[in-house]
Amino acid sequence: MKVKLFFIALLPSLIFSEPIQPLPQNVNVDNNKAKLGKELFFDPILSVDNSVSCAMCHDLQNGGDDGLVASVGHKGQVGDINAPTVLNAVYNFRQFWNGRSKDLKEQAKGPIENPIEMGNTFENLISVLKNSTYKEKFDEVFEDGITEDNIADAIAEYEKTLITPNSAFDRYLNGDKKAITKDQKEGYEIFKEKGCIACHHGINVGGNLYNKFGVMEDAKSKREGLYEVTKEEQDRYYFKVPSLRNVDKTAPYLHDGRYDNLNDVVKFMARYQLGRTISEDEVHKVVQFLNSLSGELPKDIR
Amino acid sequence: MKVKLFFIALLPSLIFSEPIQPLPQNVNVDNNKAKLGKELFFDPILSVDNSVSCAMCHDLQNGGDDGLVASVGHKGQVGDINAPTVLNAVYNFRQFWNGRSKDLKEQAKGPIENPIEMGNTFENLISVLKNSTYKEKFDEVFEDGITEDNIADAIAEYEKTLITPNSAFDRYLNGDKKAITKDQKEGYEIFKEKGCIACHHGINVGGNLYNKFGVMEDAKSKREGLYEVTKEEQDRYYFKVPSLRNVDKTAPYLHDGRYDNLNDVVKFMARYQLGRTISEDEVHKVVQFLNSLSGELPKDIR
């Protein structure tokens, strides 16, 4: 009896002492907005020449990104940064690698007007949408119909639904101790022990803070991270730490897509971010752990 | 000859691969502004009842802070956060524990109007200064004389000069391999090996990023860090990682001043931030390393 009480008393601290938290089963959204946003997300009408949709660079069936080193926009133009996944992006503390948008709604506006992505202007887009079947749909959902803010709002509302619960690791966190393998458990311990957890923690196993790309050595980055936003010297090379959820599906890796496999990324991180040696066996186990972070896609994504 | 060339070729990478950079010997400032700022920094005229100066909570002879758990403002009012040091603050990426000010100038305005610090208003302060000998001094330095911005500008300009170069560790980084002891060298290796370096790096050994206070376990913080600024749930308990320069002079520690000695802080950090065990011997050596981070005060601070 005494022993039982002791464990019951201990339980909350055991649960809350994990530095990674499981994703919820679903998020509350405005369904009407999300439905409209979903249609927009898959519609190339957003781009100036009707060639590029959000879904093209954020392929939900393939990790929520495009599998390319850098994305291809309208007229085949190639960007200079690896497309981050849209999956679970609602849980990132900022959006974009350099964190220039504070939330999904602000983010959604970016690619539409980016000259090498959708190459559009909101003035043009609003005029195009007003002459389409979207006119009525917006009027049903928004009092003020088609506006820049409402377009972004609808897309963001849909994106909030793109979470991937029930990964093996989340099931493990939720009490199913057999949900992950022995190697994955060991990999998680190594992940914590090596210090990866210092930055990759919380509900998104990352996405909570900026840190320097190349703490221990110059990591030869062409992009300058937060410096691009603030122009403050001390922000140079500080990038948003990316979420590791579904990371086995989001190759190539790092903001410049320099690696096509997780083994190389884990070795790079150990050396450049932590200055630590890591054995092949440890790398293998950490990658096994990372594989356990892939969850279930929403059933009705399309 | 071959060996020599090899080492010369290697030298830059050896230097640049250190995750901590030495402080410069001095910084370029506008001397007239800094001189005026210095006078203001030490003058209680800034506070509503002529009782509190910047220097009272930022005692330059004692680590650039006040040695208290929380500072005492006018009428003996006690704040709810540990005063950060002003020394080397110019190298922090943001100011205040929750990062609410982007630079020293913006920071300098805060305490003047904080009701439990100097309790003043700029309207009142400007009127008081205009009826003092400061009138002429401001007119000499600033075209538009005494304004809110100019007051903060002068103080910030002085604060930029408050750097502490030539610490034993900086001399070590600059090539004097005997500048630190064997224990300190080992402590630095442990500091890197345990993962402290992931957040405490760069010119200020910290001050470059926000991270969660209590990554591995709930650290029971009353203050909520960046959340206080953004009101975004994901920013709760994310605080600016403090600089560790002169840390042996800035007790008590952490934003709530909960520890009065570095041994306890190192143990706390290992457990709550990194989830790692650390032996007494390792703690001792890390603290020895931290002691090597104290530098020289500017000669003419007063």
Side-chain angles (χ1 to χ4, degrees):
Chain A
M1 179 65 182
K2 241 185 189 170
V3 172
K4 242 188 193 167
L5 274 175
F6 172 72
F7 277 111
I8 289 168
L10 203 65
L11 203 59
S13 74
L14 284 174
I15 291 169
F16 289 109
S17 74
E18 285 300 336
I20 297 173
Q21 289 85 45
L23 290 168
Q25 291 298 314
N26 44 54
V27 285
N28 285 329
V29 296
D30 179 319
N31 284 327
N32 293 325
K33 283 187 191 176
K35 197 177 155 218
L36 176 58
K38 181 174 172 180
E39 200 172 337
L40 291 166
F41 187 87
F42 287 96
D43 198 335
I45 198 170
L46 297 181
S47 66
V48 67
D49 56 0
N50 213 36
S51 65
V52 179
S53 70
C54 304
M56 282 173 60
C57 296
H58 298 288
D59 181 352
L60 305 181
Q61 305 287 359
N62 289 296
D65 66 354
D66 55 13
L68 301 170
V69 169
S71 302
V72 178
H74 80 112
K75 291 188 185 161
Q77 294 177 101
V78 179
D80 65 349
I81 204 151
N82 186 253
T85 179
V86 69
L87 298 174
N88 309 300
V90 60
Y91 294 115
N92 291 336
F93 87 128
R94 300 287 179 276
Q95 303 300 329
F96 292 116
W97 279 100
N98 62 15
R100 65 186 178 276
S101 288
K102 70 177 196 311
D103 55 27
L104 288 174
K105 186 174 160 186
E106 201 175 301
Q107 189 282 332
K109 297 179 183 178
I112 292 171
E113 291 205 318
N114 188 318
I116 57 172
E117 297 184 25
M118 293 178 175
N120 217 338
T121 62
F122 271 101
E123 196 187 342
N124 178 61
L125 175 58
I126 289 165
S127 137
V128 168
L129 291 176
K130 280 188 176 167
N131 287 303
S132 76
T133 55
Y134 279 108
K135 170 85 176 72
E136 207 177 316
K137 290 170 186 168
F138 269 83
D139 286 344
E140 275 171 27
V141 177
F142 295 101
E143 263 184 37
D144 50 349
I146 300 176
T147 68
E148 177 175 336
D149 251 29
N150 292 346
I151 293 166
D153 194 15
I155 296 171
E157 204 68 6
Y158 170 58
E159 289 178 337
K160 285 181 199 167
T161 69
L162 300 175
I163 61 169
T164 61
N166 303 322
S167 66
F169 190 72
D170 279 6
R171 285 182 279 121
Y172 171 74
L173 287 176
N174 283 327
D176 178 1
K177 293 305 167 199
K178 291 184 177 165
I180 60 174
T181 66
K182 187 167 161 289
D183 273 5
Q184 289 175 327
K185 268 177 220 175
E186 282 180 41
Y188 178 44
E189 291 309 315
I190 296 164
F191 186 83
K192 290 193 284 190
E193 177 68 17
K194 291 283 173 188
C196 317
I197 199 77
C199 294
H200 291 283
H201 56 248
I203 195 168
N204 250 2
V205 201
N208 304 308
L209 55 112
Y210 300 104
N211 206 339
K212 189 175 185 182
F213 183 71
V215 165
M216 306 301 289
E217 294 179 52
D218 180 355
K220 311 261 187 272
S221 173
K222 283 178 194 154
R223 290 290 297 255
E224 292 170 316
L226 187 58
Y227 174 82
E228 297 161 2
V229 184
T230 64
K231 299 293 169 196
E232 300 276 343
E233 192 51 46
Q234 62 266 54
D235 294 336
R236 197 186 295 272
Y237 305 132
Y238 282 74
F239 288 84
K240 185 181 70 178
V241 174
S243 167
L244 298 181
R245 291 201 172 270
N246 307 294
V247 72
D248 67 343
K249 296 183 173 61
T250 62
Y253 299 108
L254 306 186
H255 69 270
D256 50 13
R258 66 173 74 178
Y259 293 117
D260 64 1
N261 70 87
L262 283 172
N263 283 42
D264 285 349
V265 182
V266 170
K267 285 181 215 169
F268 174 90
M269 285 279 127
R271 173 175 164 182
Y272 283 82
Q273 300 306 113
L274 293 159
R276 309 197 68 185
T277 52
I278 184 162
S279 71
E280 288 295 332
D281 182 57
E282 287 171 328
V283 170
H284 170 77
K285 284 170 179 162
V286 169
V287 172
Q288 292 300 307
F289 157 65
L290 295 176
N291 290 343
S292 78
L293 294 171
S294 290
E296 295 168 1
L297 286 170
K299 285 194 191 75
D300 52 347
I301 50 168
R302 177 110 214 206
Chain B
M1 180 64 183
K2 242 186 189 169
V3 172
K4 243 189 192 167
L5 275 174
F6 172 71
F7 278 110
I8 291 169
L10 204 63
L11 203 59
S13 74
L14 284 174
I15 292 168
F16 289 110
S17 74
E18 286 300 337
I20 297 173
Q21 290 85 45
L23 290 168
Q25 291 299 313
N26 44 55
V27 286
N28 286 328
V29 296
D30 179 319
N31 285 326
N32 293 325
K33 283 188 192 177
K35 198 179 154 216
L36 176 57
K38 182 174 170 179
E39 200 171 338
L40 290 166
F41 186 87
F42 287 95
D43 198 335
I45 198 170
L46 297 182
S47 65
V48 67
D49 57 359
N50 214 36
S51 64
V52 179
S53 69
C54 304
M56 282 173 60
C57 296
H58 298 288
D59 181 352
L60 305 181
Q61 304 287 0
N62 288 297
D65 66 353
D66 55 14
L68 301 170
V69 169
S71 302
V72 178
H74 80 112
K75 291 188 183 160
Q77 296 178 99
V78 179
D80 65 348
I81 204 152
N82 186 253
T85 179
V86 69
L87 297 174
N88 308 301
V90 60
Y91 295 115
N92 291 336
F93 86 128
R94 301 285 180 277
Q95 303 299 328
F96 292 115
W97 279 100
N98 61 15
R100 65 186 178 275
S101 288
K102 71 176 195 313
D103 55 27
L104 288 173
K105 186 174 160 186
E106 200 175 300
Q107 190 281 331
K109 296 180 184 179
I112 292 172
E113 291 205 318
N114 187 318
I116 57 171
E117 296 184 26
M118 293 179 173
N120 217 338
T121 62
F122 272 101
E123 197 188 342
N124 178 62
L125 174 59
I126 289 166
S127 138
V128 168
L129 291 176
K130 279 187 176 169
N131 287 302
S132 76
T133 55
Y134 278 109
K135 169 85 175 73
E136 208 176 315
K137 291 169 186 169
F138 269 84
D139 286 343
E140 274 171 29
V141 177
F142 295 101
E143 264 184 37
D144 50 349
I146 300 176
T147 68
E148 176 175 335
D149 251 29
N150 292 346
I151 293 167
D153 194 16
I155 296 171
E157 205 67 7
Y158 170 58
E159 290 178 336
K160 285 181 199 166
T161 69
L162 300 175
I163 61 170
T164 61
N166 303 322
S167 66
F169 190 72
D170 279 6
R171 285 183 278 120
Y172 171 74
L173 287 177
N174 283 327
D176 177 0
K177 293 305 167 201
K178 291 185 177 163
I180 60 173
T181 66
K182 187 167 162 288
D183 273 5
Q184 288 175 326
K185 267 178 222 177
E186 283 179 41
Y188 177 45
E189 291 309 314
I190 296 163
F191 186 84
K192 291 192 283 189
E193 176 68 17
K194 291 283 175 188
C196 317
I197 198 78
C199 293
H200 291 283
H201 57 247
I203 195 167
N204 250 1
V205 202
N208 304 309
L209 55 112
Y210 300 104
N211 206 339
K212 188 175 186 181
F213 182 70
V215 165
M216 306 299 290
E217 293 180 52
D218 180 355
K220 311 260 186 272
S221 173
K222 282 177 194 155
R223 290 290 298 255
E224 292 171 314
L226 187 57
Y227 174 83
E228 297 162 0
V229 184
T230 64
K231 299 294 170 195
E232 299 277 344
E233 192 50 47
Q234 61 267 54
D235 293 336
R236 197 186 295 271
Y237 305 131
Y238 282 73
F239 288 84
K240 186 180 69 178
V241 174
S243 168
L244 298 181
R245 290 200 173 272
N246 307 293
V247 72
D248 67 344
K249 296 184 173 61
T250 62
Y253 300 108
L254 307 185
H255 69 271
D256 50 13
R258 66 174 73 178
Y259 293 116
D260 64 1
N261 70 87
L262 283 173
N263 283 43
D264 286 349
V265 182
V266 170
K267 285 181 216 169
F268 173 89
M269 285 279 128
R271 173 174 163 181
Y272 283 82
Q273 300 306 113
L274 294 159
R276 309 196 69 185
T277 52
I278 185 162
S279 71
E280 288 295 332
D281 181 58
E282 288 172 327
V283 170
H284 170 76
K285 284 170 178 162
V286 169
V287 171
Q288 291 300 308
F289 157 64
L290 295 176
N291 290 343
S292 79
L293 293 170
S294 290
E296 294 168 1
L297 286 170
K299 285 194 191 74
D300 51 347
I301 51 169
R302 176 107 215 210

